[in-house]
Amino acid sequence: MKTKVETLKFQAEVQELLGLVIHSLYKQREIFLRELISNASDALDKLRFEALTRPELSPPGASAKIRIEIDREARSLTVADDGIGMDRAELEANLGTIARSGTKEFLARLQAKKAENAPELIGQFGVGFYSSFMVAREVVVETRRAGSDEAWRWSSQGQGEYTIERCDKATHGSRVTLLLRDATEAEDDEQDFLSEWTVQGIVKRYSDFVAYPIEMDVEDEKDGRRTEVLNSMKPLWAKPKDEIERETYDEFYRHLTHDFEAPLEVIHFKAEGTTEYTALLYLPSHRPVDLFEGPEARSRIALYVKRVLIMPDCADLLPAWMRFVRGVVDSADLPLNVSRDVLQSSATVRQIGKRLTKRVLETLTNVLKDDREKYARFWSAFGILLKEGIYVGDDTDGAVAKIALFATTHAPEGTDDSMTTLGEYVARMKPDQKAIYYLAGSDRAALAASPHVEAMKRRGFEVLLFVDPIDEFFVQRMREFEKKPLHAIDRGDLELDSKAEQEARENLERENRDLLTALEEALVAHVKNVRFTARLSGSPAVLVSDAHGLSPHMERVLRAAHQDVKSSKRVLELDPDHPLVQKLIALHRETPRSPLLGEAAELVYGQALLAEGSPVPDGARFAKLIAKWMVGAKE
């Protein structure tokens, strides 16, 4: 019976991706071989890992290998493995789609990188397989999943569609065959990927540390054809640090993560004593698109026991808020059949995890000290995760708080943008300053221009601008730094006024109690009360929350997280010296029951909302009132 061939369309984003890959994305076309070898190595690792819990699967043993085959007559290059393989659904999911919610952002960044002439970006998204189309006119994948008796063939010319059909394959694993373009179609500077010497050089350069033998038949003048292992297979982390070049570290990082950009920092050390292990950790230089995706946030450190992979993502080696760290840990003190339950209760694992966390924070502290610009880029990408560590209570010694960066109203001379540590803020505090002041919101520029900042500027007080959604959560945990309390400046208990200022304000409120009461009645659905304040110096009004109430920013964050949060009433504070408030006082004295007072109250309240970045409750009515008062409001 004839095998049914099914033709399917690529996901739309994949078609666009293929166009970028094939025509202009890469300078070094040879990286396709690195990606195929890394995928084969991953397949063997996955089989080893899955076999731990599925006795019916045979783990890859000493005979496990990756094989490269060259056929000059057919102009084909094949990378084969006897790893986990794929079933039909996995074949379609892995090679026909990019199953990531960040695909659109990914493509936008690719286009941006292309414009900057800095194309090595694609690997971080796990789609390096598509780099095969840079050199191939057609790619054919034959695969059979371990434990299945069905084999499948996937093929495509990279023109927007692909085919899937059944095929014959005696063993599990995958064969990826690239039918290379004819010499007349190849790029002028394209290497001869059918040359044994070329392939040997690429493998040695990019994949020498792969844990499985990479075999290829080569021509030998003495023995004729013979099979040669192209890589040393010695784990990089097992080598002495002084024998490893930075370029070699970077290549292993790319192999491990499929990220084409070099890491920010490398942490490589061997622990000896009661617990012996070797750790090779990497701090990425940028945030992967999928960092916040997936059902579970956890550490992504691979655990080896005596150079045998036990767990590709060991959640117990680092806290979830350090999930940006990538790398491997190889222990000599754990059993080869270690289970997840054993890991969770293991004192050895807890000790390793504590040491790894400390080393990562020490490294970041040194980067902050030695290269502020480099650290600022790192913090921009991963600072939100480190602040997560403060929020969950892991920063008991304050190590994370000391390296946290925050936007601030303090800008060095000649700049309009600045980030500061809490230690630097405290060092700049005024002698009479009682607290570390901050304001939380979603937009830095809006916060810097907020009426709440006016009183701070007048007194020469610096304000931290909290713009990450997690900021108001972690500050509930870290209420002080170096015995200085953190205080939100949009709270009613700010207590900046002197005793004389407070007495003058109270006297003015007594004199104008009827006006304040009229305004409160007009805004009864929105505010708790209306009062005068000395905290403003340019804006007519501002809204403040209770000392322990939710800020409007926190309310928006909680609603975005689908929490049922009711809007809380706040206090409307007026600057009695502002011309607009002076007119309100005069209007009330002339006509105490004027209906214009109610409209004026709505306008002042709306202006206070807009100034802090909040929406007005009824935009249409607010716009009509503005138009009415611009042409001259009349009763």
Side-chain angles (χ1 to χ4, degrees):
M1 184 174 66
K2 187 176 181 181
T3 302
K4 179 182 178 182
V5 179
E6 193 171 355
T7 301
L8 301 97
K9 293 285 187 182
F10 278 118
Q11 183 188 43
E13 289 82 0
V14 176
Q15 293 188 43
E16 187 173 349
L17 170 66
L18 283 171
L20 285 170
V21 169
I22 295 170
H23 298 297
S24 57
L25 189 58
Y26 293 112
K27 293 179 180 178
Q28 295 177 307
R29 295 174 178 268
E30 63 191 30
I31 57 86
F32 81 89
L33 187 55
R34 173 177 67 183
E35 287 303 297
L36 295 182
I37 291 173
S38 290
N39 290 343
S41 175
D42 289 345
L44 287 162
D45 283 344
K46 290 175 182 176
L47 177 57
R48 184 191 301 278
F49 180 65
E50 197 164 315
L52 293 175
T53 55
R54 294 183 58 190
E56 71 274 16
L57 299 182
S58 299
S63 61
K65 62 181 179 295
I66 300 168
R67 182 166 176 80
I68 299 176
E69 300 171 3
I70 292 175
D71 187 333
R72 296 192 68 87
E73 290 187 5
R75 291 195 60 78
S76 68
L77 185 149
T78 298
V79 177
D81 66 76
D82 49 358
I84 192 68
M86 291 178 280
D87 58 26
R88 190 197 184 286
E90 290 171 324
L91 195 61
E92 184 174 346
N94 292 339
L95 304 188
T97 64
I98 304 177
R100 307 253 177 123
S101 62
T103 300
K104 292 293 187 182
E105 179 184 350
F106 159 54
L107 288 169
R109 289 179 64 187
L110 281 181
Q111 294 282 14
K113 284 288 183 180
K114 174 186 171 185
E116 297 168 8
N117 197 27
E120 283 73 16
L121 177 67
I122 187 173
Q124 64 174 296
F125 301 91
V127 290
F129 167 81
Y130 299 116
S131 61
S132 300
F133 288 100
M134 292 188 298
V135 298
R137 57 181 172 81
E138 184 176 2
V139 178
V140 179
V141 180
E142 294 179 324
T143 185
R144 174 177 166 180
R145 204 183 200 286
S148 172
D149 57 1
E150 292 183 332
W152 298 91
R153 179 184 293 113
W154 179 100
S155 64
S156 175
Q157 296 180 358
Q159 300 297 320
E161 62 184 25
Y162 59 94
T163 63
I164 292 181
E165 61 183 312
R166 291 183 186 273
C167 69
D168 294 325
K169 192 175 188 303
T171 59
H172 59 76
S174 300
R175 286 178 56 85
V176 181
T177 299
L178 278 58
L179 302 177
L180 303 183
R181 293 195 292 265
D182 293 336
T184 55
E185 301 176 87
E187 300 287 337
D188 292 339
D189 60 347
E190 192 164 306
Q191 296 166 273
D192 181 5
F193 297 114
L194 296 176
S195 161
E196 294 173 3
W197 183 85
T198 298
V199 171
Q200 285 174 303
I202 295 172
V203 172
K204 194 68 178 176
R205 178 180 179 185
Y206 293 117
S207 308
D208 189 57
F209 38 71
V210 171
Y212 303 97
I214 303 172
E215 296 182 352
M216 185 176 72
D217 291 341
V218 298
E219 193 70 34
D220 188 283
E221 293 182 0
K222 180 179 179 181
D223 302 323
R225 300 295 291 177
R226 65 179 177 83
T227 300
E228 182 176 309
V229 175
L230 307 182
N231 59 322
S232 69
M233 290 179 291
K234 186 175 182 179
L236 185 65
W237 62 86
K239 297 180 179 180
K241 288 176 58 176
D242 56 6
E243 295 180 7
I244 306 174
E245 300 289 339
R246 176 58 191 248
E247 183 180 353
T248 305
Y249 275 128
D250 293 351
E251 278 306 325
F252 182 73
Y253 170 77
R254 295 183 179 105
H255 163 75
L256 185 72
T257 65
H258 298 275
D259 186 347
F260 277 58
E261 293 188 29
L264 182 87
E265 285 292 324
V266 179
I267 305 171
H268 186 191
F269 68 95
K270 184 176 183 179
E272 298 178 334
T274 56
T275 301
E276 294 188 2
Y277 62 92
T278 300
L280 175 54
L281 308 180
Y282 292 95
L283 305 183
S285 58
H286 58 90
R287 181 194 294 181
V289 168
D290 62 348
L291 184 65
F292 295 99
E293 293 183 9
E296 174 179 13
R298 63 181 183 181
S299 165
R300 303 185 68 183
I301 304 299
L303 174 63
Y304 286 75
V305 174
K306 300 174 183 176
R307 302 187 184 182
V308 175
L309 179 67
I310 299 299
M311 193 169 292
D313 293 318
C314 183
D316 303 285
L317 284 174
L318 279 177
W321 52 274
M322 277 195 173
R323 57 189 177 272
F324 57 86
V325 181
R326 302 298 301 273
V328 300
V329 169
D330 193 346
S331 172
D333 297 328
L334 293 170
L336 284 172
N337 61 348
V338 64
S339 66
R340 178 66 191 276
D341 292 338
V342 170
L343 285 176
Q344 290 178 324
S345 61
S346 170
T348 299
V349 172
R350 287 196 297 273
Q351 185 177 352
I352 294 174
K354 186 176 180 180
R355 179 75 181 277
L356 296 182
T357 301
K358 183 179 180 181
R359 287 298 293 263
V360 170
L361 292 177
E362 287 175 348
T363 300
L364 289 174
T365 300
N366 290 333
V367 176
L368 172 61
K369 178 182 177 181
D370 299 335
D371 192 335
R372 183 62 170 256
E373 184 178 344
K374 180 179 179 180
Y375 182 79
R377 293 196 302 270
F378 170 84
W379 182 263
S380 176
F382 301 108
I384 190 171
L385 289 184
L386 290 170
K387 285 187 281 190
E388 184 181 309
I390 299 176
Y391 171 65
V392 300
D394 286 352
D395 191 33
T396 54
D397 62 354
V400 179
K402 291 176 182 177
I403 61 173
L405 291 182
F406 300 95
T408 174
T409 57
H410 173 83
E413 186 176 351
T415 70
D416 58 1
D417 187 40
S418 182
M419 300 287 286
T420 187
T421 66
L422 292 173
E424 292 166 346
Y425 180 103
V426 170
R428 292 191 294 265
M429 286 178 64
K430 302 294 182 181
D432 60 336
Q433 188 173 340
K434 300 177 182 179
I436 298 171
Y437 297 118
Y438 71 88
L439 182 62
S442 58
D443 182 79
R444 175 173 175 164
L447 290 179
S450 169
H452 292 290
V453 177
E454 293 176 6
M456 301 293 110
K457 286 184 175 180
R458 190 174 75 242
R459 290 170 169 81
F461 294 160
E462 180 179 351
V463 180
L464 300 179
L465 308 176
F466 286 179
V467 293
D468 282 336
I470 197 174
D471 285 345
E472 285 198 277
F473 290 97
F474 92 77
V475 80
Q476 295 174 16
R477 171 77 65 171
M478 190 186 72
R479 296 183 178 276
E480 64 176 32
F481 180 82
E482 294 184 0
K483 298 182 179 181
K484 304 291 185 181
L486 275 72
H487 201 300
I489 63 172
D490 58 350
R491 304 288 169 158
D493 61 342
L494 197 55
E495 298 181 356
L496 292 177
D497 299 347
S498 65
K499 186 175 181 180
E501 289 174 326
Q502 186 176 354
E503 290 178 353
R505 177 175 57 81
E506 291 172 352
N507 291 333
L508 191 61
E509 285 182 350
R510 281 192 292 270
E511 294 174 9
N512 293 278
R513 172 41 51 195
D514 290 345
L515 167 64
L516 297 177
T517 299
L519 296 177
E520 288 171 356
E521 290 175 351
L523 299 173
V524 66
H526 305 294
V527 303
K528 292 179 64 174
N529 63 293
V530 182
R531 66 191 181 203
F532 290 131
T533 183
R535 77 166 75 206
L536 296 171
S537 62
S539 298
V542 70
L543 288 159
V544 298
S545 304
D546 289 337
H548 303 291
L550 294 178
S551 70
H553 176 63
M554 177 67 90
E555 290 180 0
R556 289 192 290 270
V557 169
L558 292 174
R559 290 193 193 99
H562 307 292
Q563 299 291 319
D564 184 16
V565 180
K566 293 182 180 179
S567 296
S568 55
K569 291 184 179 181
R570 291 182 287 161
V571 175
L572 179 65
E573 294 189 344
L574 305 176
D575 178 5
D577 296 324
H578 193 279
L580 176 57
V581 178
Q582 287 288 314
K583 285 190 176 182
L584 285 177
I585 294 173
L587 175 63
H588 180 261
R589 286 174 178 172
E590 293 175 6
T591 315
R593 298 185 179 277
S594 171
L596 292 179
L597 282 174
E599 294 181 356
E602 289 186 64
L603 287 171
V604 172
Y605 173 67
Q607 184 271 339
L609 286 172
L610 293 174
E612 70 177 18
S614 298
V616 294
D618 187 341
R621 174 168 172 76
F622 186 73
K624 290 179 180 178
L625 286 177
I626 290 178
K628 176 180 177 180
W629 279 66
M630 286 179 68
V631 298
K634 296 181 180 179
E635 300 183 17

